[in-house]
Amino acid sequence: MTKKQGMRSALMALALAGGLMATAPAHAEGTLTVSSPQDPGSWDPVDTFLVNWSSVATNIYDGLTYRGPDTKLVPGLATSWEELDNGTRIRFHLREGVTFQNGEAFNADAVKFTFDRLMGDEGKKGPQRSNYAAIKSVEVIDENTVDMNLTQPDPVLLTKLAGYGAMIVPPKYIAEKGEDFFNAHPIGTGPFKMVSYEPKVGVTLEAYAGHWGGAPKLSTVKYRFISEPSTAVAELQAGNVDLVIPPTIPIGMIPTIQEDENIDVVSTASPTVYALRFNTGNGITADEKVRKAMIYGVDRQAIIDSILGGQAAPIASFQGDLSFGIDPEMKPLPYDPTKAKALLKEAGVAPGAKIQIDIRGNDATFNEVVQAVASYLQIIGLNATIKPYETNVLLNDIIPAGKTGAMFQQSWGGWTLDYDNTAYFMYHTGEKWNPYDSDPDLDKLLESQRAITDRAKREEILQSIAHYTADRALEMPLYNLNAIFGVSKRVKGFVPVPDSRLRLTEVSVD
């Protein structure tokens, strides 16, 4: 038995054992139980970038715009909008009669408060502010109309307003309760209200009957934070969980899950990409030759074929096929261990040189992938060790502080389906996900495309950024992974979304 087969067998056995040991499921009518792999730690929209935040919070909050599973942008809390002054002012006409879940009225003042807060001192504490850097001010025209004044046109702004930092928050509630209270007791205008939150354990949402779009079909949604994939699958098999969301399902367990007559595996195209990014600041990976050698030295297509079971596609840059800015003619560097060894020799790297690869410890599939990567690197003369971290520690403490090893896992949802949302955060000087690199030429390219409304010209610049970063070998691009859900057959009306931003309004259960 190979090491990979042994790992898969162990995971399957653990899942099956979990199913046998689990207690008999008990469902309140209208209750959906969801397994999510991560507790985001704060429910404030300005505090986060995490997909697992959005899979919950998309049900709590609304934005001015909304993008659903079909990826089309439609009205949200704004019923319509118009671009004025050559794209430097957007006038939003707001939905009337909307209330927050505590009864507070939604109006133009709430919109202004939300964006003043995002662009002010509170927003400075979180990672979202630079995503909305084009916003200069929000002006109240009347109770149901606001003007968003921009420093320059932003061709992606309307999409950005559909998620994360742009979710509309209640001014009076935050003023009365304070920021810390709001972090753990969020209030929005969405179809579900959070009624309990136990850190590291779970969240309970209840239907908000007063939602402007109508009451949800479910009465209750319970999210359980289950970081261990085999445990999540075992709970799904036992009937204690109805829905397991990405990226939890280990690829190797899909056949076992599919054998269960009570469960479906649902897969859809996704913008989510995986890479091993390089420490370009110090150590042997500060040398571009070494970085390219490591890319040449890993057969990524073989990893996709052998480990990912057809649920992924190779990538040449840190974006997938759904991304605006991808160059379909761009090809990944080929597997060439001979060239890899030659480059390492040119760089003066001694055989057996040690490197550390930092990963999220709860991602079983990626754990298999990175073990394969380490084996390939061994072949070209590098001694790679793998260091797993608890996800929040890696994302909040290790990467932003520049404390990683030579390589570190980066998975990115690219939820705007626009390469800017990935590239600016990964490569611009001073950004949270770019702790090591500073490239003035790259900064200029990244900044220049943000104000261009000519779609073809902007696409050309984004494609040039993809080529530039690949030429500098800032990461080892690995693959574009499908969004894979495990779904109990008692769940009705579930539509898989490419970006894990689940809106559960139309879902019901038997």
Side-chain angles (χ1 to χ4, degrees):
M1 179 181 290
T2 66
K3 187 173 184 180
K4 175 164 66 70
Q5 289 170 330
M7 179 178 296
R8 287 181 176 167
S9 297
L11 284 169
M12 292 177 189
L14 182 56
L16 290 171
L20 291 171
M21 291 185 291
T23 57
H27 299 286
E29 186 173 348
T31 297
L32 179 79
T33 303
V34 182
S35 171
S36 178
Q38 183 183 9
D39 177 359
S42 170
W43 297 104
D44 188 332
V46 304
D47 285 348
T48 190
F49 56 89
L50 295 172
V51 169
N52 292 309
W53 177 89
S54 195
S55 65
V56 178
T58 297
N59 296 288
I60 300 170
Y61 298 106
D62 292 309
L64 294 175
T65 61
Y66 173 69
R67 194 187 73 199
D70 62 1
T71 73
K72 294 179 180 178
L73 200 67
V74 297
L77 289 174
T79 57
S80 64
W81 50 86
E82 51 200 310
E83 296 187 12
L84 306 168
D85 300 340
N86 298 314
T88 60
R89 179 163 60 100
I90 307 176
R91 174 160 291 181
F92 292 94
H93 303 279
L94 306 180
R95 198 174 293 277
E96 298 182 30
V98 175
T99 59
F100 289 94
Q101 295 142 0
N102 64 340
E104 183 176 333
F106 161 76
N107 53 28
D109 288 335
V111 176
K112 177 174 172 56
F113 172 83
T114 294
F115 289 99
D116 286 352
R117 181 173 178 266
L118 171 63
M119 305 312 295
D121 291 340
E122 192 63 26
K124 284 181 183 177
K125 302 174 186 177
Q128 282 293 334
R129 187 179 178 188
S130 64
N131 220 3
Y132 304 89
I135 300 173
K136 180 168 62 176
S137 65
V138 171
E139 179 184 359
V140 173
I141 305 303
D142 59 42
E143 188 176 6
N144 300 304
T145 312
V146 296
D147 279 0
M148 190 171 284
N149 301 301
L150 309 181
T151 57
Q152 60 188 25
D154 182 344
V156 196
L157 182 60
L158 289 172
T159 297
K160 294 174 186 175
L161 297 180
Y164 295 92
M167 297 291 92
I168 304 301
V169 298
K172 293 179 182 178
Y173 178 79
I174 293 176
E176 291 171 2
K177 300 292 187 179
E179 297 288 353
D180 291 341
F181 187 86
F182 180 65
N183 289 348
H185 305 84
I187 289 290
T189 64
F192 290 90
K193 178 181 178 179
M194 185 180 290
V195 293
S196 71
Y197 166 46
E198 187 175 353
K200 308 295 184 183
V201 177
V203 161
T204 299
L205 309 182
E206 288 185 357
Y208 176 48
H211 186 250
W212 55 266
K217 294 180 178 179
L218 293 164
S219 60
T220 307
V221 180
K222 294 183 177 180
Y223 287 82
R224 293 174 56 191
F225 302 130
I226 304 176
S227 61
E228 176 55 50
S230 59
T231 303
V233 172
E235 290 291 270
L236 179 65
Q237 291 175 314
N240 295 323
V241 162
D242 301 306
L243 177 63
V244 177
I245 63 176
T248 303
I249 301 288
I251 301 290
M253 292 189 69
I254 289 178
T256 300
I257 298 169
Q258 289 173 328
E259 292 173 1
D260 192 321
E261 61 182 12
N262 297 313
I263 304 171
D264 287 323
V265 175
V266 182
S267 176
T268 189
S270 159
T272 300
V273 285
Y274 284 75
L276 285 170
R277 303 197 67 212
F278 290 111
N279 177 344
T280 61
N282 53 73
I284 63 172
T285 49
D287 189 328
E288 184 179 307
K289 287 182 179 179
V290 174
R291 301 196 298 268
K292 286 187 174 177
M294 294 169 73
I295 297 172
Y296 277 117
V298 175
D299 191 341
R300 288 158 286 159
Q301 184 63 58
I303 290 174
I304 291 169
D305 293 341
S306 63
I307 297 177
L308 301 179
Q311 296 288 345
I315 54 174
S317 58
F318 200 33
Q319 58 184 324
D321 286 344
L322 293 177
S323 171
F324 179 74
I326 193 166
D327 180 354
E329 302 301 316
M330 187 176 174
K331 304 300 180 187
L333 290 182
Y335 176 51
D336 190 339
T338 301
K339 188 164 188 174
K341 291 175 183 178
L343 284 170
L344 289 176
K345 187 174 181 180
E346 284 181 33
V349 176
K354 295 181 179 180
I355 61 166
Q356 179 179 300
I357 307 175
D358 297 341
I359 66 168
R360 304 182 189 186
N362 68 336
D363 189 334
T365 297
F366 195 81
N367 198 310
E368 288 191 64
V369 168
V370 80
Q371 287 184 49
V373 169
S375 297
Y376 279 115
L377 294 177
Q378 186 79 32
I379 292 171
I380 64 170
L382 297 175
N383 182 10
T385 58
I386 301 166
K387 185 169 185 178
Y389 285 93
E390 194 275 324
T391 297
N392 284 347
V393 172
L394 179 64
L395 298 183
N396 296 322
D397 300 335
I398 302 302
I399 296 174
K403 297 178 181 178
T404 73
M407 305 176 85
F408 55 95
Q409 176 185 353
Q410 189 81 65
S411 53
W412 194 254
W415 76 275
T416 62
L417 309 183
D418 189 292
Y419 186 45
D420 168 77
N421 182 251
T422 302
Y424 201 95
F425 285 109
M426 295 298 117
Y427 310 126
H428 194 278
T429 299
E431 286 295 323
K432 178 176 182 177
W433 303 117
N434 181 25
Y436 300 113
D437 206 63
S438 180
D439 184 331
D441 292 334
L442 183 52
D443 286 348
K444 288 177 184 177
L445 279 173
L446 290 164
E447 291 160 6
S448 69
Q449 55 81 31
R450 283 198 152 185
I452 294 175
T453 55
D454 183 320
R455 185 174 174 86
K457 178 62 176 175
R458 187 166 169 272
E459 183 177 38
E460 182 182 334
I461 296 174
L462 288 173
Q463 289 177 345
S464 72
I465 291 169
H467 282 274
Y468 187 97
T469 55
D471 288 343
R472 287 200 56 214
L474 296 181
E475 65 261 320
M476 179 187 292
L478 293 172
Y479 49 84
N480 176 198
L481 186 67
N482 287 351
I484 305 167
F485 300 83
V487 189
S488 167
K489 289 185 177 178
R490 72 185 290 266
V491 178
K492 307 300 178 186
F494 172 74
V495 178
V497 291
D499 54 10
S500 293
R501 295 170 62 243
L502 296 170
R503 187 80 154 187
L504 297 170
T505 313
E506 297 301 316
V507 173
S508 61
V509 290
D510 287 342

